[in-house]
Amino acid sequence: MSWFMMSRSFQRLAMAGVLAGAGLVLAMGPAEAGNKPAKTVPVRLLSLNDFHGNLEPPTGSSGRMVDENGATVEAGGAAYVATHLKQLSDNNTLKVAQGDLIGATPLISAAYHDEPSVEFLGKLGVTASAVGNHEFDEGYAELRRIMRGGCHPVDGCSPAGEWKGADYSYLGANVIFKRPDASAEKEALAALGGQNTSSLRGLLREYGIPALPPVTVRWVNGVPIGFIGLVTQSTPNIVTSEGIKDLEFIDEVKAANVASKLLKLVGVKAQVVLVHEGDQVTAGQSPDACSAQPGTGNRIATQVDAEIDMILSGHSHQAYLCTVPDPKGGARLYSQGGSFGRVITKVDFQVDVRTRDVVRSSVVADNQVVTRTVIPDPDISTFVQTWKDRVAPVANKPIGRITADITNTGSPSGESSLGNLIADGQLAATKTGGNAQVALMNPGGVRTGLTYAGSPAGEGDGVVTYGEAFTVQPFNNLMQVVTLTGAQLKTVLEQQFTGGPNAQPFTKILQPSSNLTYTYSTGAAWGSKVSNLKIDGVDVTDGQSIRVAANNFLVGGGDAFLAFKDSTDLWSGPLDIDAFAAHFAANPSITPPVPNHITVVP
Ligand SMILES: [Zn+2]
């Protein structure tokens, strides 16, 4: 690991310290000669979170938002984000973000390893962002390439040419190396030019050597604003393990407190946490309401050092503006701005030019819905159209062939031919590495069928294109494998039905791999509906251990399949779309599977 990024970061910090020591701050500010400087100066932050590459306006429920008046409106789309940001920007503005800007993206972005999205955010003027868990979807090495530039090691350069790197800083104070290079600390200290070495050495030893810049400083109106980036410490559970094997994701609060001290050490007292972690809200609330139910995000927002002035959050895709107490009882902002570019969080505050700290009582926040009633930014519209045109051939690339339509409509048992095919592909993709024995796919994740005629090209020869496969599996979920006991697997299958303690709103039949068979009784009481459970034709016993493949959504207890949460020995593997495409590559001509693995009895 080169210290390139870290060095730059520390040098900037050292510079901030030097300027503080020399009393040059005000002289550098906008207080022109002869004028008495104002006691406070205004700062505006405009922030986005969980953009997830939505360059085109997101559709369906992903493209709607409840506004301040309680009305549900269409929201999001890069060109609309750009227009709204321009309207909200003034000379005091810094644009920041809270991660998951990339990863789990539509094909227009995903096909180019999200370079188009990162370029777009740079065009907007975003200056710093926390990394989100999805920034690690393709591994740490790929994240560094996105940050620093260069062509993709396997897929080469995009049609736009060599990637120039992100125009903004990705921050991750709680991402540290498991086994730092022996010279890393020495290099970090050298980067400071001999300043504050003992204090800094102490700080570095307190929590390890960061794998990403932990903090960055930006100047507005002659005052430095320090940003601390944090990502959910649950990241290792929700991204592919191989890509982050050298990294440790430590407690967000502990890391934030060290980063806060680091900023204070160089005289930066206006401190903002950008954190990719958040809470859930009551549905249907105004984006300006504080209906967040105190959870993991609230813990961070209330527990990080009182020197930190506000916490802008992400990850849970919710919109809220809360005032929470800091450890010294002071009030501070804890906010989030939805997802997919549907909301911009605007934060206005004053910084005292003498103390260089945020005047807490001056903080005013507003979540602005990115409506589509404004004129879309023409430059960004052109930019998005360029990538739409570029991705068309990628979408039309053949990945395999089917001999007939493969539908996602359920047979009487609820099992579909396409669900079955996807589960078979998931099993095949997770046997090596994850030791999977069976696979289960959530039916809601099979978005559409595959037709022999093909779409949208309509080839009519059974060819399946990457675009078609991506439309079926658009979520970029991660394949995982966990161990369930036979009894737990039966519980998972019972949880498919309404009437149980998990309160399934309607029956959701998990799509099984072809080697999993069972019977369910429509008339039997909840808890004893499933019988005759077999894997590869062999009866499953309650006590046996079974390696079950499923996507990270199900493994996390999604769709009320809570029994997955009792699983052990989690392994994370490829993206679901990659597993699906690989199945076509391995089986070039696919006959629709017969969905006959589940038997229904009265
Ligand atoms: Zn996230």
Side-chain angles (χ1 to χ4, degrees), residues 236-421:
N237 300 334
I238 44 181
V239 307
T240 311
S241 47
E242 177 62 23
I244 54 159
K245 63 181 187 329
D246 297 330
L247 307 180
E248 196 180 335
F249 293 78
I250 63 169
D251 176 54
E252 302 94 344
V253 174
K254 183 184 171 195
N257 290 350
V258 176
S260 171
K261 272 191 230 168
L262 188 62
L263 286 171
K264 209 172 167 184
L265 193 67
V266 291
V268 179
K269 291 171 76 185
Q271 299 185 358
V272 177
V273 158
L274 305 172
V275 56
H276 189 75
E277 179 63 278
D279 291 325
Q280 299 300 322
V281 302
T282 314
Q285 299 288 304
S286 159
D288 295 339
C290 177
S291 67
Q293 295 144 23
T296 324
N298 184 274
R299 183 188 78 93
I300 298 164
T302 54
Q303 291 184 6
V304 294
D305 196 291
E307 189 65 68
I308 291 164
D309 298 292
M310 59 195 75
I311 290 90
L312 311 186
S313 75
H315 190 50
S316 59
H317 293 201
Q318 309 291 339
Y320 48 80
L321 298 176
C322 297
T323 303
V324 297
D326 71 25
K328 287 185 176 166
R332 66 182 169 195
L333 173 69
Y334 167 45
S335 69
Q336 191 178 159
S339 60
F340 310 141
R342 292 176 296 175
V343 176
I344 294 163
T345 304
K346 180 183 78 168
V347 187
D348 286 311
F349 56 91
Q350 299 286 323
V351 177
D352 186 313
V353 295
R354 189 182 48 82
T355 65
R356 303 205 298 183
D357 208 346
V358 172
V359 180
R360 291 281 182 93
S361 58
S362 70
V363 178
V364 179
D366 189 14
N367 271 336
Q368 305 258 338
V369 176
V370 177
T371 58
R372 298 183 196 155
T373 50
V374 296
I375 296 167
D377 184 274
D379 291 345
I380 298 298
S381 294
T382 305
F383 174 80
V384 173
Q385 186 60 47
T386 302
W387 285 102
K388 268 175 88 167
D389 295 343
R390 282 169 176 160
V391 81
V394 178
N396 296 333
K397 193 180 161 201
I399 59 164
R401 188 179 287 269
I402 53 178
T403 61
D405 290 356
I406 305 184
T407 69
N408 67 331
T409 45
S411 64
S413 70
E415 182 187 1
S416 75
S417 183
L418 186 52
N420 202 200
L421 179 69

Side-chain angles (χ1 to χ4, degrees), residues 11 56-57 79 85-86 142 154 173 201 208 270 279 310 405 453 486 498 565 591:
Q11 274 163 353
E56 295 185 77
L85 273 181
K86 252 180 209 168
E142 170 62 4
V154 176
R201 197 181 302 122
D279 291 325
M310 59 195 75
D405 290 356
T498 56
K565 292 187 132 181
T591 305

